[in-house]
Amino acid sequence: MIVRLSSQQAPANLCNNVKSGLAKSCKCKFITNKRSKHDMVISYREELGSQKNLVLEAGYLNDYSNDGSARGEKEGYHKARRTFTSIGWDGLCGKSKWQIEDCDDDRVVKHGIKIKPWRENEIKTAFVFLQLDTDRSLGKCTGRKYHEWAAKSVVDLEQQGYEVYYKPHPRRDMRLGVGKRFEGTITQALNKADLTVQYSSTCAVDSIMRGIPAITFYDGSIAWDVTGHSIDEIVRPDRTQWLNNLMYMQWKPAELASGEWWQYYKGYLEK
């Protein structure tokens, strides 16, 4: 099998782990020339226009326990997102063309993943978690459209009678002109929230794992199946199967290097 490494290549240590795992799992040759014949492409984030594109991205389950002060949050955010690496074919997050379903809980147990019971308290405080307005996981809702969506969400939540804050992305100091801007860290925001709203941010996963109801607005969200999809749709579904499946979409460095993940993804090449 000929594997092309995209110019959108992952950080060196991550790329080396994936290459090592593939080499242990199958006979393959690695190339970088885009014009050469190849069977699949490995990229960090999606390489648009490519087929059989194995997309690597930051993980979905994040450890924000050391996200530090707001001033140092950017560094803490990046460290938290490196706990796992997510893998998908030909798309990011919920838009991956190869969904692994009906998984058992062995990887949940292996990594000691705990999910808190749903909070049943009255919802008084809502948070809107913002993303980078150029994020591909926003689909077509980027730039000005995203700013308009965010501002409208804040206003709509206020009309529901909630105390509303918006939390900028650690990498972007965005101001909406409406609502209250939260100056603390992601952890502090989640500790204060009774409800979270996001277009497709993985903060929805952080919310759900803590038992906080979440709302998402894009079916590319990895949390789409366990969230509401309008301001007034508060849901608390069973999350067991969703979490089991999610754990087969993200892997730790040693697991990538061992190649154990490949058996769950190679079937896509045979389609």
Side-chain angles (χ1 to χ4, degrees):
M1 180 169 66
I2 300 176
V3 181
R4 179 169 67 81
L5 302 177
S6 170
S7 58
Q8 296 170 210
Q9 211 174 121
N13 59 336
L14 175 54
C15 191
N16 288 337
N17 284 336
V18 174
K19 287 169 61 179
S20 175
L22 270 177
K24 291 174 183 176
S25 305
C26 59
K27 292 182 178 180
C28 55
K29 176 183 177 181
F30 297 99
I31 64 171
T32 57
N33 188 343
K34 191 171 185 177
R35 296 182 179 181
S36 298
K37 183 178 179 181
H38 52 269
D39 300 296
M40 61 177 282
V41 182
I42 297 177
S43 68
Y44 190 63
R45 303 189 177 91
E46 185 180 7
E47 182 182 83
L48 298 179
S50 293
Q51 294 182 332
K52 307 297 184 183
N53 180 191
L54 190 72
V55 181
L56 310 179
E57 246 286 21
Y60 305 121
L61 292 181
N62 309 308
D63 180 8
Y64 293 121
S65 59
N66 296 308
D67 62 356
S69 66
R71 180 177 296 178
E73 186 185 13
K74 182 176 179 179
E75 180 180 348
Y77 170 81
H78 286 297
K79 185 175 181 180
R81 295 294 309 277
R82 295 190 189 113
T83 306
F84 288 94
T85 296
S86 62
I87 304 178
W89 280 113
D90 292 342
L92 291 168
C93 302
K95 287 298 185 180
S96 169
K97 303 264 189 323
W98 184 249
Q99 300 293 333
I100 301 172
E101 300 176 336
D102 301 323
C103 301
D104 58 32
D105 67 353
D106 58 340
R107 286 186 52 73
V108 175
V109 173
K110 174 183 177 180
H111 291 289
I113 304 299
K114 304 296 183 183
I115 192 166
K116 293 183 179 180
W118 285 116
R119 296 184 192 175
E120 299 291 347
N121 56 295
E122 180 185 357
I123 295 175
K124 297 181 179 179
T125 305
F127 271 75
V128 178
F129 282 99
L130 303 182
Q131 297 166 247
L132 299 176
D133 58 10
T134 56
D135 194 332
R136 287 188 184 175
S137 67
L138 292 172
K140 295 182 179 180
C141 186
T142 56
R144 182 176 178 178
K145 287 183 179 179
Y146 180 68
H147 286 253
E148 291 172 349
W149 169 85
K152 184 177 186 301
S153 295
V154 169
V155 172
D156 288 349
L157 286 164
E158 288 177 335
Q159 290 176 349
Q160 293 284 332
Y162 303 135
E163 181 180 18
V164 184
Y165 296 88
Y166 67 90
K167 173 73 179 80
H169 190 281
R171 291 172 52 196
R172 178 71 183 275
D173 185 17
M174 187 185 298
R175 297 179 184 272
L176 296 181
V178 295
K180 290 181 277 189
R181 185 176 184 273
F182 189 74
E183 302 293 346
T185 66
I186 292 175
T187 297
Q188 291 166 342
L190 290 167
N191 288 341
K192 189 178 179 68
D194 298 316
L195 171 70
T196 71
V197 175
Q198 43 273 299
Y199 196 78
S200 61
S201 171
T202 55
C203 283
V205 176
D206 303 316
S207 179
I208 291 161
M209 294 299 294
R210 288 166 172 77
I212 306 168
I215 296 171
T216 58
F217 282 78
Y218 180 49
D219 63 2
S221 167
I222 199 66
W224 181 258
D225 291 343
V226 286
T227 58
H229 308 308
S230 64
I231 291 298
D232 58 355
E233 185 183 9
I234 312 299
V235 298
R236 296 178 176 87
D238 189 305
R239 299 158 290 174
T240 306
Q241 192 62 61
W242 168 81
L243 179 58
N244 291 349
N245 295 346
L246 181 69
M247 289 304 297
Y248 276 84
M249 297 177 68
Q250 55 178 7
W251 306 80
K252 287 197 170 182
E255 295 173 327
L256 293 175
S258 74
E260 61 184 275
W261 55 276
W262 180 243
Q263 63 180 303
Y264 303 104
Y265 290 84
K266 62 183 181 181
Y268 187 70
L269 293 179
E270 300 167 359
K271 290 178 63 177

